[in-house]
């Protein structure tokens, strides 16, 4: 009798383990579905962005579009599966014609861009400046201080709110941009480290 008892016992334990694993797999599958749905959304969103004149920034063209090309640029860093990002998309696309009117010194106006930051990294040279506080995070990059992007921190998220923010900072200029994170120190330490290794 004892034998059958232990047998049933291990069997139920095993059953419980299976159930737990199934649950965590279910969560993974749910996330996978959400991510997949997000990418399906993003394909369409990409077309809508193109049509609206929103630039698409990737790891490959970041340097060119954000750091080198002339003019200020507002960049939204988003994840395709993030509901807020999806909800905000139509508003973001409407910024383009308004932002074009914000000119200074005969410049072209402010460019509007989006970057899928779930799979794309920003270049290490500017990485720490583009710290994400969550999705989406928007940054205004002013032409003369591109290493000091200004994170959008206003409460409202209407076209008027965002345009007001851009206008305010374009007018205030680089003196209103956040201070650079302490430079110099890290590279020196690295150099010392390298010398020690030799």
């Amino acid at each position: 009798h004892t034998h059958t008892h232990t047998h049933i016992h291990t069997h139920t334990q095993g059953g419980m383990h299976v159930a737990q694993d199934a649950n965590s797999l279910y969560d993974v599958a749910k996330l996978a579905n959400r991510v997949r749905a997000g990418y399906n959304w993003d394909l369409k969103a990409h077309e809508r962005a193109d049509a609206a004149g929103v630039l698409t920034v990737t790891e490959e063209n970041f340097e060119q579009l954000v750091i080198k090309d002339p003019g200020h640029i507002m960049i939204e860093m988003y994840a395709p599966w993030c509901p807020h990002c999806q909800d905000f998309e139509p508003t973001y696309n409407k910024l383009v014609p308004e932002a074009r009117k914000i000119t200074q010194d005969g410049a072209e106006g402010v460019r509007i861009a989006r970057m899928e930051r779930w799979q794309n990294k920003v270049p290490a040279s500017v990485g720490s400046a583009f710290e994400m506080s969550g999705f989406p995070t928007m940054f205004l990059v002013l032409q003369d201080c591109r290493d000091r992007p200004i994170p959008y921190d206003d409460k409202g998220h209407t076209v008027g709110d965002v345009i007001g923010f851009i206008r305010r900072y374009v007018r205030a200029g680089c003196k209103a941009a956040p201070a650079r994170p302490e430079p110099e120190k890290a590279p020196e330490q690295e150099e010392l480290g390298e010398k020690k290794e030799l």
Side-chain angles (χ1 to χ4, degrees), residues 137-154:
T137 298
M138 289 184 281
F139 293 97
L140 176 61
V141 182
L142 296 177
Q143 181 167 286
D144 297 329
C145 43
R146 299 178 193 238
D147 55 340
R148 294 189 289 143
I150 303 158
Y152 183 84
D153 53 7
D154 284 15

Side-chain angles (χ1 to χ4, degrees), residues 26 35 38 40 54 81 88 90-91 118 124 127-128 142 152 170 176 186 196:
Y26 175 69
V35 170
N40 290 338
V54 173
W81 44 259
F88 185 56
T91 303
W118 184 239
S128 62
L142 296 177
Y152 183 84
V170 165
K196 268 183 224 152

Side-chain angles (χ1 to χ4, degrees), residues 11 55 64 157 169-170 187 191 193:
H11 182 74
L55 303 168
Q64 187 61 50
H157 283 86
Y169 277 101
V170 165
E191 281 165 24

Side-chain angles (χ1 to χ4, degrees), residues 49-55 93-104 107-112 163 166-167:
D50 272 355
V54 173
L55 303 168
N93 288 346
K94 289 188 191 115
L95 297 175
V96 176
E98 296 306 313
R100 279 202 185 117
K101 296 175 197 160
I102 305 173
T103 53
Q104 222 188 5
E108 284 298 286
V110 177
R111 295 169 297 148
I112 299 291
I163 291 299
I166 295 174
R167 198 172 276 130

Side-chain angles (χ1 to χ4, degrees), residues 17 47 72 131 140 154 162 198:
H17 284 306
E47 291 168 11
H72 312 307
E131 261 329 291
L140 176 61
D154 284 15
V162 181
L198 294 173

Side-chain angles (χ1 to χ4, degrees), residues 22-197:
N23 271 338
S24 51
L25 287 173
Y26 175 69
D27 287 340
V28 170
K30 251 191 346 198
L31 179 65
N33 282 335
R34 202 171 136 200
V35 170
R36 190 162 53 242
Y39 279 101
N40 290 338
W41 167 82
D42 203 30
L43 287 172
K44 303 268 194 313
H46 183 80
E47 291 168 11
R48 292 189 292 264
D50 272 355
V54 173
L55 303 168
T56 297
V57 175
T58 61
E59 223 165 299
E60 289 70 38
N61 69 12
F62 186 95
E63 194 74 26
Q64 187 61 50
L65 287 178
V66 181
I67 306 299
K68 293 184 177 152
D69 285 354
H72 312 307
I73 187 167
M74 179 77 157
I75 180 165
E76 178 202 14
M77 297 188 171
Y78 70 96
W81 44 259
C82 135
H84 292 300
C85 305
Q86 296 182 8
D87 294 344
F88 185 56
E89 183 223 355
T91 303
Y92 196 71
N93 288 346
K94 289 188 191 115
L95 297 175
V96 176
E98 296 306 313
R100 279 202 185 117
K101 296 175 197 160
I102 305 173
T103 53
Q104 222 188 5
D105 319 322
E108 284 298 286
V110 177
R111 295 169 297 148
I112 299 291
R114 68 201 291 267
M115 180 180 192
E116 195 269 277
R117 188 72 193 271
W118 184 239
Q119 287 191 316
N120 290 280
K121 294 185 182 66
V122 296
S125 54
V126 293
S128 62
F130 289 90
E131 261 329 291
M132 301 283 292
S133 55
F135 292 109
T137 298
M138 289 184 281
F139 293 97
L140 176 61
V141 182
L142 296 177
Q143 181 167 286
D144 297 329
C145 43
R146 299 178 193 238
D147 55 340
R148 294 189 289 143
I150 303 158
Y152 183 84
D153 53 7
D154 284 15
K155 293 282 174 284
H157 283 86
T158 65
V159 171
D161 293 329
V162 181
I163 291 299
F165 173 91
I166 295 174
R167 198 172 276 130
R168 196 163 77 236
Y169 277 101
V170 165
R171 198 175 292 140
C174 283
K175 62 176 184 298
R180 278 190 194 82
E182 289 292 281
E184 305 320 317
K185 286 187 187 149
E188 272 176 18
Q189 282 165 351
E190 276 168 28
E191 281 165 24
L192 289 172
E194 280 167 19
K195 286 187 189 118
K196 268 183 224 152
E197 275 164 34

